[in-house]
Amino acid sequence: MLELDDVVVEIAGARILDRISLTLAEGTTGVIIGPNGAGKSTLVNSITGLVPLTGGAVRFEGRDLTRLPTQQRIAHGIAHVLERRRLFGSMTVEENLRLGAWANRRSRDVARRLETVYELVPLARQRRLQKAGSMSGGQQQMIAIARGLMAEPRLLILDEPLLGLSPSATDDLVAIIRTLQRRGVSILFIEQNVDLAFGIADVGFVIETGRLALSGPTATLREDPELQRVYLG
Amino acid sequence: MSAILEVQGLTKRFGGLTACADISLAVAPGELVAIIGPNGAGKTTLFSCIAAEQHATSGRVLFDGTPLRRRSQAAVARMGIGRTYQIMRPFLSLTTAENVMVGPLERGRSLREARAVADAVLEDVRLTPSADLPATALSTGQRKRLELARVLAREPRLLLLDEITGGVDRKNLPDVLHAVRRARRPDRGIVMIEHNMRAVRALADRVVAIVDGRVVVEGPPEVVLEDTAVVRAYLGSSYRPRESGEGDAGA
């Protein structure tokens, strides 16, 4: 459903992504791992158009997204939850969620979507009138994902969703990801903790200084001596 | 020869969080030591305690045998400890050379002397062609080398490099490695926090691995980078690599 074809991103003369090609099949969960500064966030940002491509193409469900602005890519069924949440802190949880439906503007739908999301993320319902900024980091992360789900994406992109979460918040979030997996949502996420990443994802993409060094089923990567070389030289 | 830097049982706590736990290490003059460890291991906090930007909760830092106690950052810099930062902050309104001249000028050198120092240092870091360009014209790799040049112009005896290869692409990595090699002196110790293991293998005499605030292993790069505890810290306990060669036949 998602295809990257020879993607190149250059920023200020530095080649951050160097001819990356990868495919994520419908209904699967992929994880992007790799050492610091490898280009993981730039890679997901290139999918939703938050950084412009220098070369190559991004296709989603057969459609070429390369030249579309971010909001149009989102409208095609991709949601992207950025690193470190970025909720509107002075707005309530529910107001934040309503904004998540913005890209698909059939407003009569919003109530139904809210109900679906509240069912998936019970915390969002419990706290729906609370100011988002007054919640803990883990709770905010949950709400940020709930907001992403308001767009009813077929592909959900998460940039380090588990970063800085307590063990119990991590468990809660992983449980939500598993529910989404069962419901057929395709997911692409970035994670630094290899154990955790491989426990959740079906396939892994290992990025090393801008290149795709390795990819494949996580069960295979778990045994691949090359993975150690990528991290430890 | 006695150590230029000695860290003895350094612990740094932030409330209930222990960022550095009883860390001890020593660096000899002429030596280049790399500190590695996963994100959040406490590496940058250790640097901040050595450079007196923060003070240890307990333990000591000795520079050339002198305990730093609660000296200020400026005092420690004057003693000869220089550090680079992950986030570079050159003076954007100045040229590359002028950025480098700031250190020597601050130490009372004349304009002419400061320029001579800058020219020499910029040659070492391969930035001579950019000397008179505004700092804004530099790429990330070049800015990293400018950051190094600015510190080198203060002639530190202990050089602390915080991710000097961070954000540098493959094409520019050799220039950064060259610049670090040129920074080595028989009377200077260098400590680098580094995520790029290629750089670690290429440059370091010795590697110290820190995980969860503690030193888990130290030794030559080829030993530390293959150490089981280090592999587990980076790749988790479920990572079980096949022996090399095994399973490759049918691939």
Side-chain angles (χ1 to χ4, degrees):
Chain A
M1 78 163 351
L2 176 72
E3 259 175 276
L4 272 61
D5 189 8
D6 257 352
V7 165
V8 174
V9 171
E10 288 181 356
I11 298 174
R15 189 166 273 225
I16 311 297
L17 296 181
D18 193 4
R19 305 191 58 177
I20 292 201
S21 297
L22 60 84
T23 306
L24 184 73
E26 189 173 351
T28 59
T29 297
V31 68
I32 300 170
I33 62 170
N36 270 10
K40 301 184 292 295
S41 289
T42 305
L43 179 60
V44 295
N45 289 344
S46 76
I47 296 169
T48 43
L50 296 174
V51 298
L53 298 195
T54 309
V58 175
R59 278 187 290 275
F60 178 65
E61 296 177 335
R63 199 189 309 253
D64 189 352
L65 300 184
T66 315
R67 266 164 256 296
L68 297 183
T70 299
Q71 67 271 25
Q72 286 185 31
R73 300 189 193 199
I74 302 291
H76 283 306
I78 303 178
H80 182 168
V81 180
L82 300 172
E83 195 180 345
R84 296 183 201 285
R85 311 176 263 282
R86 303 183 201 201
L87 294 174
F88 294 94
S90 60
M91 292 168 61
T92 66
V93 167
E94 187 161 304
E95 285 164 345
N96 270 281
L97 294 188
R98 284 178 181 279
L99 286 175
W102 184 254
N104 287 351
R105 260 172 263 179
R106 290 174 312 227
S107 54
R108 60 191 163 79
D109 234 24
V110 173
R112 180 190 58 76
R113 290 183 190 202
L114 264 177
E115 193 48 43
T116 312
V117 168
Y118 281 150
E119 212 176 292
L120 271 170
V121 188
L123 176 83
R125 192 198 301 273
Q126 290 158 26
R127 306 296 182 89
R128 67 188 194 89
L129 298 178
Q130 186 173 335
K131 293 256 194 294
S134 68
M135 304 174 84
S136 74
Q139 292 168 338
Q140 288 195 33
Q141 183 63 272
M142 210 86 83
I143 301 307
I145 291 174
R147 183 174 63 182
L149 293 174
M150 285 295 289
E152 301 198 321
R154 294 186 294 287
L155 172 65
L156 179 63
I157 296 178
L158 307 170
D159 191 344
E160 295 212 43
L162 305 170
L163 184 70
L165 298 195
S166 69
S168 78
T170 301
D171 288 347
D172 291 348
L173 199 56
V174 171
I176 290 175
I177 292 176
R178 292 208 189 289
T179 307
L180 295 172
Q181 287 175 320
R182 280 195 301 277
R183 299 199 180 179
V185 178
S186 310
I187 301 171
L188 183 64
F189 71 108
I190 297 177
E191 175 52 48
Q192 299 262 2
N193 180 324
V194 178
D195 256 349
L196 204 51
F198 285 1
I200 298 169
D202 308 304
V203 290
F205 304 103
V206 186
I207 309 292
E208 180 189 19
T209 47
R211 294 189 191 166
L212 183 66
L214 275 178
S215 66
T218 49
T220 311
L221 290 177
R222 231 189 257 277
E223 302 180 341
D224 195 334
E226 186 63 10
L227 186 62
Q228 184 171 334
R229 191 205 56 73
V230 170
Y231 276 83
L232 293 167
Chain B
M1 207 182 296
S2 65
I4 195 158
L5 170 72
E6 244 181 293
V7 175
Q8 298 175 341
L10 185 144
T11 294
K12 176 67 181 176
R13 288 196 194 92
F14 299 100
L17 177 89
T18 304
C20 298
D22 195 24
I23 290 182
S24 295
L25 58 89
V27 179
E31 198 181 22
L32 195 156
V33 175
I35 298 181
I36 65 164
N39 277 357
K43 305 180 295 294
T44 295
T45 302
L46 174 63
F47 258 29
S48 301
C49 288
I50 296 171
E53 288 157 37
Q54 296 177 25
H55 294 289
T57 310
S58 61
R60 299 204 301 173
V61 177
L62 286 82
F63 175 64
D64 245 350
T66 308
L68 296 181
R69 296 214 172 80
R70 298 187 76 81
R71 279 187 169 82
S72 71
Q73 193 180 338
V76 165
R78 274 196 302 276
M79 288 172 76
I81 298 183
R83 77 165 283 190
T84 67
Y85 293 85
Q86 289 177 54
I87 312 286
M88 301 154 286
R89 296 204 179 86
F91 298 109
L92 294 174
S93 57
L94 301 183
T95 66
T96 302
E98 285 165 350
N99 263 284
V100 181
M101 289 165 68
V102 170
L105 286 173
E106 215 174 63
R107 296 173 57 169
R109 303 286 197 97
S110 71
L111 264 179
R112 183 198 297 255
E113 289 166 338
R115 179 70 203 215
V117 170
D119 285 342
V121 170
L122 288 175
E123 192 173 343
D124 279 346
V125 303
R126 290 184 174 158
L127 279 179
T128 304
S130 308
D132 296 310
L133 296 180
T136 46
L138 302 184
S139 70
T140 303
Q142 291 172 324
R143 282 193 193 193
K144 287 280 183 180
R145 284 181 277 142
L146 171 57
E147 174 87 0
L148 178 57
R150 290 206 302 170
V151 177
L152 287 176
R154 296 169 187 264
E155 293 162 6
R157 296 209 39 233
L158 176 65
L159 177 61
L160 307 172
L161 306 177
D162 196 349
E163 291 198 41
I164 194 76
T165 70
V168 176
D169 66 2
R170 281 166 196 262
K171 196 174 69 193
N172 288 294
L173 185 62
D175 281 338
V176 174
L177 298 187
H178 169 86
V180 175
R181 282 199 191 96
R182 295 287 297 182
R184 296 188 72 152
R185 299 273 183 280
D187 63 342
R188 174 182 288 158
I190 304 180
V191 188
M192 59 194 301
I193 292 177
E194 197 45 71
H195 280 292
N196 185 321
M197 300 304 167
R198 217 167 286 197
V200 170
R201 286 190 194 257
L203 297 172
D205 302 312
R206 201 151 50 86
V207 179
V208 176
I210 297 182
V211 178
D212 292 334
R214 291 178 187 280
V215 174
V216 291
V217 56
E218 67 171 285
E222 62 275 14
V223 173
V224 173
L225 295 178
E226 320 253 309
D227 183 89
T228 316
V230 173
V231 172
R232 187 172 302 147
Y234 277 87
L235 296 171
S237 48
S238 68
Y239 178 61
R240 298 262 185 275
R242 301 183 306 270
E243 295 295 318
S244 312
E246 181 194 335
D248 286 351

